Amino acid sequence: AQQWWPMTPEDRESLRGVGFGPKLTQAWLEANDVEILLRAHELPAACRGFQLWHPKPDGSPRCVTIFSASNYCGDAMNRGAVCIWTPASFPRAEESGKGCTLFEHYAPDFNA
């Protein structure tokens, strides 16, 4: 079983224990023979629907956090997102439009 800790900008402790920084992310990718990690569960910074983590030398991220639940619990005021790759764009992920397409969305308050 895999246990996952929060992503952090650097390899350091987080509030939940070990923080997954760039070195740990790279080691995990190599150990599992994958090029990019797509993860969920954690609301990204600035209430965006996604967050790009730990850039490779070419600028593309090693990890993408997707949070699909917009306006979480009806009052979080965050955007949600989905990530769509084509065979030609995988595994790149950039906001600039190269790689996957990141679609953000927003649901209004439950009572609206």
Side-chain angles (χ1 to χ4, degrees):
Q2 294 282 329
Q3 184 170 357
W4 196 255
W5 292 282
M7 299 305 290
T8 57
E10 300 172 0
D11 293 294
R12 61 175 172 76
E13 291 288 315
S14 74
L15 294 175
R16 294 182 182 166
V18 175
F20 246 70
K23 291 177 186 174
L24 289 172
T25 300
Q26 181 61 33
W28 189 91
L29 293 173
E30 290 172 3
N32 291 281
D33 196 27
V34 294
E35 295 183 50
I36 192 168
L37 175 65
L38 184 64
R39 65 185 292 270
H41 176 66
E42 184 176 30
L43 180 62
C47 291
R48 304 259 344 239
F50 68 93
Q51 189 165 354
L52 308 178
W53 293 95
H54 311 143
K56 298 175 187 175
D58 69 2
S60 64
R62 288 184 171 95
C63 178
V64 178
T65 296
I66 296 289
F67 196 80
S68 61
S70 67
N71 199 21
Y72 187 61
C73 293
D75 61 4
M77 306 292 290
N78 66 288
R79 287 175 275 175
V82 295
C83 178
I84 299 174
W85 272 288
T86 65
S89 67
F90 185 81
R92 296 196 50 88
E94 300 174 11
E95 280 190 83
S96 65
K98 297 178 182 174
C100 71
T101 303
L102 295 160
F103 292 98
E104 287 189 289
H105 56 87
Y106 182 78
D109 183 305
F110 292 141
N111 298 317

